[in-house]
Amino acid sequence: MLASLLRTLTSSLAGTVEARASAVSLPGDAAPPGWRAELVSRLLPRLVSALEERRPDAPNEPPGDVERHVETVRLLRDAVYEAIDTRAPDVSPRQLRFVADWFAAEIERSLRIQNLQYAALLDSIPDHLFMHDVDFRISIVNRAYTDGLRAAGLGPGRIIGRRLIDEMDLPDPFKQYIRGVVGRVAQGESVTQEFQAPPRLGGHWREHHCIPVHDAEGRVTGVAVSSRDIHARKLAEARLQLLSRIGALAATGSYDELVGGLAHLSIPELADWCVVDVVEDCRVRRRIVAHRDPAAQAAAEDILRLAPAGGAAPAVDRDRLCSEPRVIEDLDGPELRECDPQLGELAGRLGVNTAIRVPVPVLGGLAAMVTFVFAPEWIRRHGPEDLELAREVARRAAQAMENARLQDKLRQSEARFRVALSRANISVFEQDSDLRFRWSYNSPFVADDGLVVGKTVGQFMPPDAACRMEAWERQVLETGEGARLEIDFDLAGERRHFLANCEPIRGPRGIAGVTGAIVDITETKRAQEALAQAVAFRERLIGILGHDLRNPLSAVLALARLLREHSGIPDRARVGLDRIVQSAARMNEMIGTILDFTSVRFRGEVPLARETVALDTVASSIVDELRAAHPERTIEIASDGDLRGRWDGGRLGQVLSNLVANALSHGTREAPVRVLLSRDDGGAILAVTNRGPAIPAELKERLFEPFWQGPRDGAPPPNGLGLGLFITREIVRAHGGSIDVRCDGGSTTFTVRLPVEGPAADRPPC
């Protein structure tokens, strides 16, 4: 009866569960639509089947989202109980107990699966994860923690419930440290600390994160711990510090300090004790020893203070000990005692675990031998990573020792350097990162170079010049790139010009200052100014001459034209007059070009007379004139759109005339020259295209230079001045426009873009 009732109520119960779940769900936590109804439709048939067969079912599907699954099962249970109360109150207690057991088993199965999932997740984490109560009894562990305990020698057996801190053979200070951390966590504090485990636990560095676990009343009942192995990171940090200390030691620049400090730098990262043998001609000149234990340090110094047999310095066996860095397992064996009795005696007395012996080559020879030793009491042995570190230490030490020796050679050559510059007008200097002079030679500011040391340029130069100089030098410090500066200022009542070059000085810690040279170029600048004045005078003279020639030339042109129109002139004389008119017109055009050129040179731009102009009308007029002058050539023109604007019509005619003449001169004679006028949002566009050889890319930048004419492939040179394209570009720029050239598919196109309105200064008032 109950099974039949539940079968008929499946749809109704699914709707009830869906509605109640939606009512209690938090925002953003609702299940997908229909999810719970679908789950109910799977759960109820299983319950009905179990009721009919009177035995528990054996589901084999995973619950998916366990929390929502358990919540849905509980909602379904409540809905089933309500249905029984209202529709089947006479259900037997046995059936009710069966239903209750079925729902409890389903919830227990889901929670058991969730627990297994969490356990699998914890076991997949390589960190040690565990939890214990405040009395150190273990309650939860992951696989990594269990494996770590077994690797440390903890016997097999169940770990849960044991107080491992009492069972394991650990040093008392370490136990006290652990109890102190747990005591802090028991007070509600979260603790994160790094520590080195004792040798019983592997001796690695670990990072512990400990947080308190609270019960329902808020009391701390346990400690949750996440422990990560950071041994590799700590070793890397220590070795990085070791290498950085070598760099700092190298900055001292003293050879003796460098050799003495090298023995102490490697302790304890790379050695428990270290011996540095300073070598000259394959013999040890002196020895320096360092030990982490002061008492052993004194014993080692006593051993090395003994004179070697025969009074000679011990020889270094290059074949056996100097060829390559290597790990030596038997440093106190007969091999070393025969080769180096002193070092063998030292190894025998102080004890040796392993050692690395590394040569330090400097300037092509052996400068030192460094021996890094681990003693037995510290339980460490050298491995491949230590050998690589020893190589790097030796390499950096070699660089530092080489630099120290080079410094000696540089000091010896400084005198020769000063003699070489004593009669030159070049000043050399070096400044620190605060731009204070470290040294200077041939200083232009003072007679004695020593007076500038420790000072800045601001104490010798005028304020404006000093600000420029210091800003320039600071740019070199910040960017790390060399720079050049030309500067002038009054010095000793005379205007002086200097050219300064500056380069950064790089040290072990970055850029440490600047160095450079200052050349007095006053005489050169004076010569350049005199030359510039001569060129300017020449160009001004050309302009004046061109202006004065225009008046008599205009008279000649007018008279020739007048005579040519006279009816009584013979044909032979008329031909001569035509040639006079053509030559005079050509000369007049050349004079106009020269005047435009001088105007650009001295005024900066071509003068304009703006008015409202129709560009297509101007272009048609110019093209008609060029067609008449070149009847054997074809010139095509096309226009589109409103081409009116405020321009200088005469100047634009000059632009078009120059571009079309250039196209006729350099284009293929059989192909037409095309002129296209158009309009876009940016203004008017004038394009002149001709067929012919492409302009080489390296020559495009020179097209608009004055007095320059391109190659003509064997044709005779033009009789122009080479100013046409230059004047054209300047006219376009004066209108606020642009001009460019493009070669594509055997065609060359010059494109001019003109704004419809001129610059604001040229616009008429409103």
Side-chain angles (χ1 to χ4, degrees), residues 239 270 320-321 323-332 335-336 352-359 369-374 380-391:
R239 292 174 178 185
L270 192 56
R320 286 189 283 180
L321 297 178
S323 57
E324 280 292 332
R326 62 170 180 160
V327 177
I328 303 175
E329 298 288 345
D330 189 18
L331 193 63
D332 60 344
E335 176 185 346
L336 182 64
V352 173
N353 203 1
T354 59
I356 296 177
R357 206 161 197 204
V358 184
M369 288 292 299
V370 184
T371 306
F372 306 100
V373 179
F374 278 145
R380 295 179 60 189
R381 300 183 67 85
H382 289 107
E385 67 280 0
D386 297 306
L387 186 61
E388 290 302 320
L389 178 61
R391 281 195 178 99

Side-chain angles (χ1 to χ4, degrees), residues 443-458:
S443 173
F445 309 120
V446 295
D448 184 358
D449 290 305
L451 297 178
V452 303
V453 176
K455 300 178 181 178
T456 65
V457 294

Side-chain angles (χ1 to χ4, degrees), residues 183-429:
R184 292 167 58 187
V185 178
Q187 299 299 319
E189 180 183 355
S190 295
V191 178
T192 298
Q193 285 193 346
E194 297 178 356
F195 65 90
Q196 188 172 13
R200 181 73 170 80
L201 298 179
H204 280 204
W205 279 90
R206 304 196 67 87
E207 182 179 70
H208 263 30
H209 299 274
C210 307
I211 61 174
V213 179
H214 301 84
D215 60 10
E217 286 75 27
R219 294 171 298 186
V220 177
T221 59
V223 179
V225 182
S226 170
S227 177
R228 174 167 297 179
D229 189 322
I230 59 171
H231 194 67
R233 191 195 80 194
K234 296 294 286 187
L235 287 181
E237 291 175 353
R239 292 174 178 185
L240 183 61
Q241 292 175 359
L242 167 60
L243 297 178
S244 65
R245 290 200 299 268
I246 293 178
L249 184 62
T252 62
S254 170
Y255 183 81
D256 291 336
E257 291 182 10
L258 177 63
V259 173
L262 181 61
H264 295 81
L265 287 180
S266 58
I267 299 172
E269 288 84 1
L270 192 56
D272 297 325
W273 54 280
C274 177
V275 177
V276 177
D277 297 331
V278 182
V279 178
E280 290 182 356
D281 298 327
C282 290
R283 288 194 171 273
V284 176
R285 180 172 60 86
R286 64 189 177 100
R287 276 183 160 157
I288 303 170
V289 64
H291 201 288
R292 67 190 302 175
D293 183 353
Q297 168 82 30
E301 290 178 351
D302 289 340
I303 295 172
L304 295 181
R305 200 175 294 120
L306 298 175
V316 178
D317 188 340
R318 295 178 63 95
D319 294 335
R320 286 189 283 180
L321 297 178
C322 303
S323 57
E324 280 292 332
R326 62 170 180 160
V327 177
I328 303 175
E329 298 288 345
D330 189 18
L331 193 63
D332 60 344
E335 176 185 346
L336 182 64
R337 289 184 179 275
E338 179 182 354
C339 175
D340 192 340
Q342 270 193 323
L343 192 56
E345 177 71 14
L346 182 63
R349 291 197 187 185
L350 297 182
V352 173
N353 203 1
T354 59
I356 296 177
R357 206 161 197 204
V358 184
V360 182
V362 174
L363 297 176
L366 185 66
M369 288 292 299
V370 184
T371 306
F372 306 100
V373 179
F374 278 145
E377 64 268 20
W378 299 99
I379 319 176
R380 295 179 60 189
R381 300 183 67 85
H382 289 107
E385 67 280 0
D386 297 306
L387 186 61
E388 290 302 320
L389 178 61
R391 281 195 178 99
E392 181 64 18
V393 169
R395 186 185 68 81
R396 298 197 181 194
Q399 291 177 345
M401 295 169 70
E402 185 170 339
N403 289 337
R405 289 189 175 181
L406 288 175
Q407 287 292 333
D408 294 339
K409 293 186 177 181
L410 287 175
R411 282 190 290 269
Q412 294 172 4
S413 64
E414 185 175 351
R416 294 191 293 271
F417 169 76
R418 291 182 177 273
V419 170
L421 293 180
S422 60
R423 297 186 179 276
N425 62 343
I426 302 175
S427 169
V428 290
F429 64 90

Side-chain angles (χ1 to χ4, degrees), residues 46 57 160 162 202 205 287 302 390 429 485-486 548 571 582 596 598 637 646 653 663 676 695 703 705 719 751:
R46 286 174 43 205
D57 64 340
I160 303 301
R162 296 168 64 178
W205 279 90
R287 276 183 160 157
D302 289 340
F429 64 90
L485 174 69
E486 192 171 314
D548 290 344
D571 292 340
Q582 291 176 1
D596 287 340
T598 55
I637 183 171
R646 284 189 54 77
L676 177 61
I695 302 173
L703 287 177
E705 293 181 4
N719 53 8
T751 303

